[in-house]
Amino acid sequence: MRQSKRKLSGLFISLLWCWAAGAAAQHYPARPVRLIVPQSAGGSTDVIARVVALRMSDGLGQPVVVDNRPGAGTLVGVELVANAAPDGHTLLVVASSYTIIPALHKKLPFDPVRDMTAVTQLATLPHILVVHPSEPVHSVKELIALAKAKPGQLNFASSGFATSTHMAAELFMYMTGTRMVNVAYKGGAPAMVGMLGGQCQLNFATISTAIPHVRAGRLRALAVTGDKRSVAAPEYPTISEAGVPGYHHTSWIGMFAPAKTPRAIVARLNAEAIKAAHSQEVKTVLIGDGLEATGTTPGEFAVFVEAEISKWKKVTKAANITAP
């Protein structure tokens, strides 16, 4: 009898919680929505968050305000959202470093899967593999051959330790059995200066940064890093097409909510965010920064995030990379 009462009590609590969540979703949003960006103002993630926020404000009927919370390599801002009330009024807009961080830190103040709810991937930022024109390399296969002939002697420029440009190269080395040296600069622009000056032989640069120099003949492009050819540079094959089957890497920007946010609220946010990302106003900003609008279901994005976390754990373990 007691067991039956417990079951009935548990069922009642579950029904009550579902009713409360449904009621909250019907009146959502009840106040302004905060988009936490765990980086300083001015970067690609911040710019995209701001233009998406403006469009989402129209659809939600409440102001959507960007709140920059940089610190500890994005950990400060992400933890803030992980601990926020799961009511859809505090959200996270973050870049692909979100799935790299778990591979570098044994302990985090949050679980990137359990403590967050995936809303949608907003945009992707494909990279392009470029070499200095002084190098006798005109294809991905020739680069692999050169790297194997000179193990540890080729330098690749990156925009910093564990950044997307660094990890693109680590994945390439992992999949090709090559060994090259990371020269970490403080950002993509200084890394490009190093490339142009000949201090580094190659770079997995963002397309928007590299293409002007490629077209001026100052760099030679070999391939793009995505799983399909880039709209911004369709004349170049993917690295997978060019000799490394299965290679795929792009930076991305996505939106998350705290865990246990009601499904109805997540679905509403998903619809509004995708509509915003595909608006002409936002697309224009995206193209200017070399990004491409995407938009996935919460389920698709959650599967993608878990796969990325698993991938980077394998790559960083094989390369013996840990947080400094």
Side-chain angles (χ1 to χ4, degrees):
M1 179 68 75
R2 287 180 181 176
Q3 192 172 6
S4 297
K5 285 183 177 179
R6 284 197 203 100
K7 286 183 178 178
L8 286 171
S9 176
L11 179 62
F12 175 74
I13 291 170
S14 296
L15 289 171
L16 187 62
W17 186 88
C18 289
W19 175 83
Q26 284 182 346
H27 296 92
Y28 174 81
R31 59 183 185 277
V33 175
R34 277 197 306 165
L35 288 188
I36 302 296
V37 175
Q39 287 138 336
S40 301
S44 293
T45 306
D46 175 68
V47 170
I48 300 313
R50 290 180 186 279
V51 292
V52 166
L54 284 173
R55 297 296 301 178
M56 287 184 70
S57 297
D58 296 336
L60 292 174
Q62 285 280 2
V64 179
V65 182
V66 172
D67 184 357
N68 296 93
R69 294 298 183 98
T74 75
L75 297 184
V76 170
V78 177
E79 185 180 10
L80 190 156
V81 179
N83 293 327
D87 58 10
H89 291 92
T90 304
L91 308 173
L92 175 71
V93 174
V94 70
S96 47
S97 58
Y98 182 83
T99 54
I100 298 171
I101 287 172
L104 302 174
H105 299 268
K106 290 183 178 179
K107 289 186 178 180
L108 288 172
F110 57 87
D111 187 294
V113 175
R114 281 201 312 268
D115 294 339
M116 304 292 274
T117 297
V119 176
T120 189
Q121 185 185 91
L122 293 167
T124 59
L125 178 61
H127 296 249
I128 189 164
L129 171 55
V130 293
V131 296
H132 193 274
S134 63
E135 294 301 314
V137 169
H138 294 82
S139 70
V140 170
K141 288 182 179 179
E142 288 181 358
L143 174 62
I144 294 170
L146 182 64
K148 287 185 174 180
K150 296 182 175 182
Q153 295 181 49
L154 296 183
N155 295 333
F156 66 87
S158 77
S159 55
F161 175 79
T163 58
S164 190
T165 54
H166 174 199
M167 300 312 288
E170 292 291 351
L171 181 62
F172 183 83
M173 291 187 288
Y174 174 73
M175 295 184 70
T176 59
T178 54
R179 185 161 53 89
M180 298 179 283
V181 179
N182 175 29
V183 180
Y185 291 85
K186 293 182 178 180
M192 188 54 61
V193 171
M195 271 294 296
L196 296 171
Q199 285 84 23
C200 297
Q201 288 76 51
L202 65 146
N203 187 356
F204 289 78
T206 57
I207 289 180
S208 58
T209 302
I211 279 296
H213 300 295
V214 171
R215 290 181 176 154
R218 292 186 288 268
L219 294 175
R220 182 183 302 130
L222 303 183
V224 294
T225 65
D227 60 355
K228 60 182 179 180
R229 296 196 179 206
S230 170
V231 174
E235 64 269 37
Y236 298 106
T238 66
I239 289 177
S240 182
E241 289 175 327
V244 190
Y247 182 97
H248 168 227
H249 172 73
T250 57
S251 297
W252 51 266
I253 295 170
M255 181 181 290
F256 295 84
K260 298 182 180 179
T261 299
R263 288 184 181 179
I265 290 178
V266 173
R268 175 91 184 274
L269 288 167
N270 175 267
E272 295 296 343
I274 291 175
K275 185 167 69 175
H278 284 272
S279 67
Q280 192 55 52
E281 177 188 355
V282 175
K283 274 187 172 182
T284 300
V285 174
L286 289 172
I287 291 169
D289 272 9
L291 290 107
E292 299 173 12
T294 50
T296 56
T297 67
E300 289 169 340
F301 190 34
V303 169
F304 170 79
V305 166
E306 290 194 44
E308 286 288 287
I309 291 172
S310 176
K311 177 179 77 176
W312 293 126
K313 283 183 177 180
K314 290 177 184 176
V315 172
T316 54
K317 182 178 181 181
N320 195 29
I321 300 171
T322 56

